Amino acid sequence: MSDLLPIVPASPDATSDAHCEDSPRPLPPRAKVDGPRGRYFIHTWGCQMNVHDSERMAGQLEHLGFGQADSEEDADIVLLNTCTVRETSAAKVYGKLGDLRRLKRANEKMVVGVCGCLAQQERDALFAKAPHLDLVIGPRAIPQLARHVESILETRQRVRDTAPWTETVGAGSEESLRQSFPKAFLTIQEGCDKFCTFCVVPFTRGREKCRPLDVLLAEIEGLADRGFREFEMLGQNVNCYRDDAGHDLADLLLRAADIRGVERLRFVTSHPRHLSDRIVAAMAHEKVARALHLPVQSGSDAVLARMERDYTRADYMARIARLKAMNPDIALQTDIIVGFPGETEDDFQATLSLLEEVAYEGVYSFKYSPRPYTKAAKSFEDDVPESVKADRLARLQAYQDQLQAPRDAARVGLVEEVLVDGMSKRSDAEVAGRTSRNRVVNFPGAPDLIGLLVPVRVTEARAHSFRGEIAGPTR
Ligand code: 5AD
Ligand code: SF4
């Protein structure tokens, strides 16, 4: 067993923002490479950083000689890249581990691994809970995946590698099997020092660590040469990016924007407290997307204080005002937690009024669930009943839909530049892509448009996307 550094005990109160989705996301289909040594399958839960970590893992496995399987039944190596940010995310991983126990009974040679945040959180306890596991590997140990897989295949001994801070963040990134052409994800910062009281991330992703600017620019240049046109900078606290030479996110955005072939830059996820004027000014650059994910979590100062978010509603609104002054058409998205300990109906009403005041283009909302190691789990009673949490979540989502529908309808007739990234889910005669404001648009077109920027006139606003038609020359 590779038993490296024990997890360094972090401060008892902790968190960050990371943009999450709960559904498992197998890597998207692509031309299958037949691997001489067998096939792998990766399940991915969680944020964009996890999606990119899976690309990094897939790249290493293909270098070892494994090809991508169509399903876990068909695979010799199955990896679960996990998220523990909410209870529901963790529960789904345990469900999948149960399925894999049956598969492994039928195929004893199968290598089963848990990677990412659950691995870091549970460490050896995972082997006890799932005796059929061969590999437990934390987020910072991803560059070691190939070595650990070789060792398991050779010795049939289990491996755990959950050393949180020994590796350089993003090492081996250039090996990634990139699956989101023409967009490339780039981890620029990992970990979080904010320690909001509800969040487990500082305990699973460790302290903040940044990659050097020159390394990142070189990687962007190489990817732009290969035809990638959009770059999404990833970090749990991405706007706290600062390398050892003192470069910040504004420097990175402006330098990256100068690279030939780079057309669009995004970054996720930002902490409102650290959205500096320099970053806001850099966002005025034409190549920086007109969209920002800025999690607020609550519109009530009392709740924000218990969350230890380090800003008030007025502070948050002041940043929104600066962003809108610089760029009136910016599309803002946010994350909201309902039912945080002590949240009253008045607190919740304050959150609803914030939705109206900010006029978000997208709201990701979650019921609070206590997470291991966090201050909220230790110090506050989870006192909002489940039925009240569910009711507030439903009311919040309905209110946001009601606010957003007329704003979306008002965009019909406008021409927006769409970067085409694939075929539409509904029709083989249509392609799909995103606007600079990060909204999906489907429109009639052939696969040769993938990777191109197309001016598209919006013809219809749907629940979560738009339809349109080509309105000018592509580039
Ligand atoms: N309970 C519910 N939601 C949470 N999030 C983070 N921790 C918790 C928790 N304990 C949400 C926050 C964060 C997003 C990624 O997940 O809204 O921004
Ligand atoms: Fe989930 Fe980990 Fe990403 Fe947080 S950092 S969203 S816990 S995968």
Side-chain angles (χ1 to χ4, degrees):
M1 173 174 293
S2 150
D3 202 348
L4 305 173
L5 287 182
I7 193 164
V8 177
S11 142
D13 41 344
T15 232
S16 103
D17 301 307
H19 178 181
C20 271
E21 280 175 25
D22 267 342
S23 24
R25 284 185 278 199
L27 291 174
R30 57 186 267 274
K32 296 274 179 323
V33 184
D34 243 343
R37 298 182 67 187
R39 287 162 179 258
Y40 69 89
F41 192 82
I42 304 178
H43 276 286
T44 309
W45 289 266
C47 58
Q48 301 295 357
M49 190 175 285
N50 264 15
V51 172
H52 178 47
D53 285 348
S54 291
E55 293 183 330
R56 294 166 66 200
M57 297 195 284
Q60 289 182 56
L61 294 176
E62 298 215 350
H63 269 87
L64 283 186
F66 290 88
Q68 199 176 326
D70 290 319
S71 68
E72 60 205 29
E73 284 83 6
D74 185 30
D76 306 283
I77 301 174
V78 180
L79 301 178
L80 307 185
N81 192 8
T82 60
C83 172
T84 58
V85 78
R86 291 175 298 277
E87 208 168 2
T88 45
S89 333
K92 286 175 189 172
V93 179
Y94 282 113
K96 180 51 72 183
L97 266 175
D99 299 345
L100 292 179
R101 183 187 303 234
R102 283 186 290 281
L103 270 186
K104 184 140 181 179
R105 259 190 224 124
N107 172 10
E108 277 194 356
K109 288 201 171 138
M110 178 186 267
V111 173
V112 178
V114 169
C115 321
C117 293
L118 186 70
Q120 194 69 45
Q121 182 183 301
E122 298 288 316
R123 290 169 281 155
D124 277 345
L126 268 177
F127 287 132
K129 288 180 185 165
H132 55 299
L133 259 183
D134 301 289
L135 176 65
V136 170
I137 177 169
R140 296 273 172 113
I142 285 170
Q144 307 304 327
L145 175 72
R147 182 165 65 82
H148 294 324
V149 167
E150 285 288 28
S151 145
I152 292 166
L153 291 172
E154 209 178 294
T155 65
R156 287 284 146 191
Q157 298 289 309
R158 295 165 145 183
V159 174
R160 161 167 82 86
D161 187 346
T162 47
W165 296 299
T166 49
E167 295 294 342
T168 311
V169 171
S173 168
E174 60 292 341
E175 263 190 6
S176 306
L177 181 75
R178 298 198 169 268
Q179 309 239 286
S180 53
F181 182 84
K183 168 154 98 177
F185 294 113
L186 218 70
T187 298
I188 67 165
Q189 177 269 341
E190 192 175 347
C192 179
D193 295 348
K194 293 302 295 177
F195 289 93
C196 310
T197 57
F198 54 81
C199 187
V200 73
V201 169
F203 303 97
T204 56
R205 290 273 178 180
R207 297 292 76 73
E208 286 174 18
K209 196 155 180 174
C210 299
R211 295 174 69 196
L213 181 96
D214 51 348
V215 169
L216 293 167
L217 293 176
E219 192 169 353
I220 293 172
E221 219 169 277
L223 289 163
D225 280 348
R226 285 166 50 196
F228 286 88
R229 308 192 80 183
E230 178 172 319
F231 295 84
E232 185 158 330
M233 320 283 178
L234 304 177
Q236 268 80 40
N237 235 332
V238 76
N239 52 334
C240 287
Y241 173 84
R242 189 168 286 276
D243 75 359
D244 289 344
H247 300 109
D248 68 359
L249 181 63
D251 293 320
L252 177 57
L253 290 171
L254 296 176
R255 296 276 299 276
D258 275 346
I259 294 174
R260 197 163 55 96
V262 171
E263 294 293 345
R264 250 188 216 169
L265 296 162
R266 301 185 190 279
F267 54 94
V268 75
T269 292
S270 299
H271 192 289
R273 178 85 171 81
H274 302 280
L275 193 70
S276 67
D277 288 347
R278 273 176 58 78
I279 298 174
V280 174
M283 289 180 71
H285 193 288
E286 57 174 10
K287 289 190 179 171
V288 180
R290 302 278 171 268
L292 185 69
H293 186 79
L294 198 62
V296 66
Q297 311 300 356
S298 171
S300 150
D301 279 342
V303 174
L304 288 173
R306 277 199 301 284
M307 289 176 164
E308 296 183 18
R309 286 290 286 175
D310 214 9
Y311 54 81
T312 61
R313 178 183 176 130
D315 296 334
Y316 184 87
M317 287 313 303
R319 300 223 176 212
I320 298 286
R322 271 208 289 276
L323 278 163
K324 287 188 175 172
M326 202 62 109
N327 182 352
D329 196 35
I330 192 164
L332 296 163
Q333 295 190 327
T334 202
D335 292 349
I336 304 270
I337 297 177
V338 297
F340 188 74
E343 186 190 67
T344 62
E345 177 62 24
D346 281 353
D347 292 323
F348 177 65
Q349 289 296 333
T351 300
L352 293 183
S353 74
L354 183 90
L355 297 190
E356 191 182 3
E357 205 175 330
V358 177
Y360 291 110
E361 290 266 321
V363 173
Y364 297 85
S365 47
F366 313 102
K367 290 184 283 181
Y368 170 73
S369 55
R371 304 314 297 134
Y373 314 118
T374 60
K375 180 168 174 180
K378 288 179 184 162
S379 311
F380 304 138
E381 194 192 335
D382 183 15
D383 59 356
V384 178
E386 181 58 30
S387 58
V388 175
K389 287 181 186 170
D391 178 60
R392 287 184 187 163
L393 190 73
R395 282 156 66 203
L396 181 123
Q397 289 171 349
Y399 188 53
Q400 173 59 21
D401 287 349
Q402 180 194 324
L403 291 171
Q404 199 172 327
R407 286 198 294 267
D408 284 357
R411 297 199 81 84
V412 172
L414 299 180
V415 174
E416 308 220 32
E417 196 168 49
V418 175
L419 180 58
V420 182
D421 56 23
M423 300 308 291
S424 151
K425 281 187 193 138
R426 295 176 179 219
S427 155
D428 287 347
E430 293 197 352
V431 291
R434 282 181 186 265
T435 64
S436 171
R437 304 175 80 250
N438 214 9
R439 301 297 303 273
V440 173
V441 184
N442 295 284
F443 60 96
D448 57 359
L449 289 176
I450 295 172
L452 296 183
L453 284 155
V454 183
V456 176
R457 185 179 318 281
V458 177
T459 54
E460 186 188 340
R462 292 183 166 162
H464 298 287
S465 64
F466 294 100
R467 282 207 72 219
E469 60 194 17
I470 298 181
T474 61
R475 63 183 183 100

